[in-house]
């Protein structure tokens, strides 16, 4: 049985802090909040790295503020997962180096950038994670691809290029279009991930949408991952809502119990299983993570 690490996909979400129901009164700074979080859970997913490149300095601080066995999963920068990226998300010197015709666009895609700029962004991202990796605290780098990332040879090749760009790190893959696991593509998708030692990210999320991935409990590597996004159907694909509103959902005990046998089975097939709650609205993720810990104990 592999280690089962239960945690959440953020420790600094504003609604969590504002709720006043998780952090003690003395945990008011970035340092003390991470220290307290790490005293409660053995793992966290860093969501901020999706919105902007992390820095080596910040990663070094995360190392010193957590215990020896604490694990960070890092969400890949949005540009690398083929999401549209606003100019302000890029470092200032990179923005200044972008050709004028690109600077006039409201958002950028990785394919838009000159190769030397794209390579530099990959290099900075890789270097920023070195303190975590050197300390043995880096779990996986999560590539959550967009709903318009459909199965095909071009997409599979791109996933492999992402792995090649981060050769010393573990790249995990989360899909957001159901066609990756439909009757036609399911076996090919899972075989592709296994053949390339890429962890498949299992999900629990609202069903019935084209973006809905089924709640399949499957492993394709020695590290397993499950991300609980909540089951807020009304907000899942609603237009004009924030991510916080989309993940506003508290799992009931019976819904969590559905996953207990799946979690134990996945843990028996891996050396480490990451169970992460992404329903980060107020204290809902930490409440459900604590419930899951108790159920598994």
């Amino acid at each position: 049985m592999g280690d089962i690490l239960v945690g959440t996909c953020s420790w600094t979400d504003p609604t969590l802090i504002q709720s006043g129901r998780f952090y003690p009164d003395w945990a008011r700074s970035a340092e003390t909040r991470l220290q307290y979080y790490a005293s409660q859970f053995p793992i966290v997913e860093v969501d901020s790295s999706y919105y902007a490149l992390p820095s080596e300095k910040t990663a070094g601080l995360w190392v010193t503020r957590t215990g020896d066995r604490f694990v960070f999963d890092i969400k890949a920068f949005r540009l690398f997962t083929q999401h549209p990226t606003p100019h302000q998300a890029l470092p200032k010197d990179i923005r200044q180096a972008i050709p004028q015709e690109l600077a006039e666009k409201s958002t950028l895609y990785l394919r838009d950038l000159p190769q030397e700029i794209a390579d530099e962004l990959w290099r900075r991202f890789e270097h920023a994670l070195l303190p975590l990796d050197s300390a043995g605290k880096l779990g996986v780098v999560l590539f959550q691809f967009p709903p318009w990332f459909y199965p095909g040879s071009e997409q599979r090749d791109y996933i492999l290029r992402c792995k090649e760009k981060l050769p010393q790190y573990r790249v995990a893959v989360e899909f957001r279009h159901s066609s990756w696991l439909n009757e036609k593509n399911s076996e090919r998708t899972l075989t592709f991930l296994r053949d390339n030692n890429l962890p498949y990210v299992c999900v629990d999320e609202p069903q019935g949408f084209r973006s809905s991935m089924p709640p399949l409990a499957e492993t394709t590597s020695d590290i397993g991952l499950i991300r609980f996004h909540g089951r807020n159907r009304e907000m899942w694909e609603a237009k004009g809502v924030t991510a916080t509103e989309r993940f506003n959902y508290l799992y009931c005990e019976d819904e969590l119990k559905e996953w207990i046998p799946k979690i134990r089975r996945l843990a028996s097939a891996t050396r480490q299983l990451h169970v992460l709650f992404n329903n980060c609205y107020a204290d809902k993720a930490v409440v459900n993570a604590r419930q899951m810990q108790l159920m598994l104990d």
Side-chain angles (χ1 to χ4, degrees):
M1 181 74 71
D3 293 333
I4 302 174
L5 308 182
V6 180
T8 71
C9 294
S10 173
W11 76 92
T12 59
D13 186 86
T15 63
L16 171 63
I17 296 170
Q18 292 163 11
S19 75
R21 293 191 293 269
F22 177 63
Y23 289 110
D25 188 60
W26 56 264
R28 292 178 175 269
S29 67
E31 178 179 6
T32 55
R33 283 177 183 146
L34 180 53
Q35 288 172 340
Y36 178 75
Y37 176 94
S39 74
Q40 305 297 301
F41 299 106
I43 187 171
V44 76
E45 180 183 296
V46 177
D47 183 59
S48 60
S49 53
Y50 170 80
Y51 296 98
L53 290 175
S55 70
E56 278 190 76
K57 179 181 178 181
T58 299
L61 292 174
W62 292 341
V63 169
T64 62
R65 293 170 180 176
T66 53
D68 291 343
R69 299 188 64 188
F70 192 81
V71 173
F72 291 87
D73 283 350
I74 305 294
K75 201 170 182 181
F77 183 43
R78 66 175 91 181
L79 197 71
F80 303 146
T81 54
Q82 300 194 5
H83 284 85
T85 304
H87 288 265
Q88 292 303 312
L90 301 176
K92 182 178 179 180
D93 64 318
I94 295 292
R95 296 199 303 269
Q96 294 172 341
I98 290 175
Q100 182 62 35
E101 63 270 19
L102 295 181
E104 295 173 356
K105 293 186 175 182
S106 58
T107 57
L108 298 169
Y109 289 87
L110 187 65
R111 63 176 181 266
D112 297 330
L113 298 177
Q115 189 61 51
E116 63 272 17
I117 291 180
D119 289 343
E120 175 62 14
L121 289 169
W122 278 108
R123 187 195 69 80
R124 292 188 190 188
F125 185 74
E126 180 186 17
H127 278 233
L129 305 186
L130 283 174
L132 294 172
D133 185 57
S134 299
K137 294 187 177 186
L138 181 61
V140 302
V141 181
L142 169 67
F143 280 75
Q144 186 186 50
F145 291 103
W148 55 86
F149 189 80
Y150 303 122
S153 57
E154 182 179 339
Q155 288 77 9
R156 287 187 289 271
D157 287 344
Y158 181 74
I159 293 171
L160 293 181
R161 287 201 297 276
C162 292
K163 182 182 179 183
E164 291 168 359
K165 291 292 186 180
L166 303 173
Q168 68 190 78
Y169 305 144
R170 298 300 302 276
V171 168
V173 178
E174 179 176 341
F175 298 113
R176 295 170 66 199
H177 195 280
S178 58
S179 57
W180 284 94
L181 287 183
N182 64 19
E183 186 175 352
K184 175 184 175 182
N185 295 311
S186 179
E187 183 176 353
R188 183 170 190 173
T189 296
L190 296 174
T191 298
F192 163 75
L193 295 175
R194 287 193 185 98
D195 288 348
N196 292 284
N197 197 25
L198 292 161
Y200 168 73
V201 180
C202 310
V203 295
D204 183 287
E205 62 189 24
Q207 297 297 298
F209 302 94
R210 287 194 301 172
S211 63
S212 301
M213 295 297 291
L216 176 70
E218 192 63 69
T219 59
T220 56
S221 181
D222 61 329
I223 295 179
L225 292 96
I226 308 171
R227 299 178 81 228
F228 286 83
H229 295 304
R231 300 181 183 181
N232 191 339
R233 285 185 51 83
E234 290 73 21
M235 293 293 184
W236 189 244
E237 289 192 353
K239 297 186 183 299
V241 302
T242 65
T244 301
E245 293 171 303
R246 186 171 292 112
F247 300 126
N248 181 5
Y249 187 86
L250 182 69
Y251 286 93
C252 70
E253 188 172 322
D254 286 343
E255 290 170 334
L256 296 179
K257 283 182 178 178
E258 294 172 12
W259 275 92
I260 298 300
K262 297 179 183 180
I263 288 172
R264 296 198 185 282
R265 180 167 57 80
L266 292 176
S268 69
T270 56
R271 65 174 178 83
Q272 195 173 80
L273 178 64
H274 300 181
V275 179
L276 293 158
F277 284 84
N278 193 35
N279 53 332
C280 296
Y281 183 90
D283 63 338
K284 294 180 178 180
V286 294
V287 166
N288 284 151
R290 281 173 164 167
Q291 285 179 291
M292 183 63 80
Q293 283 180 322
L294 290 171
M295 290 179 183
L296 291 170
D297 287 342

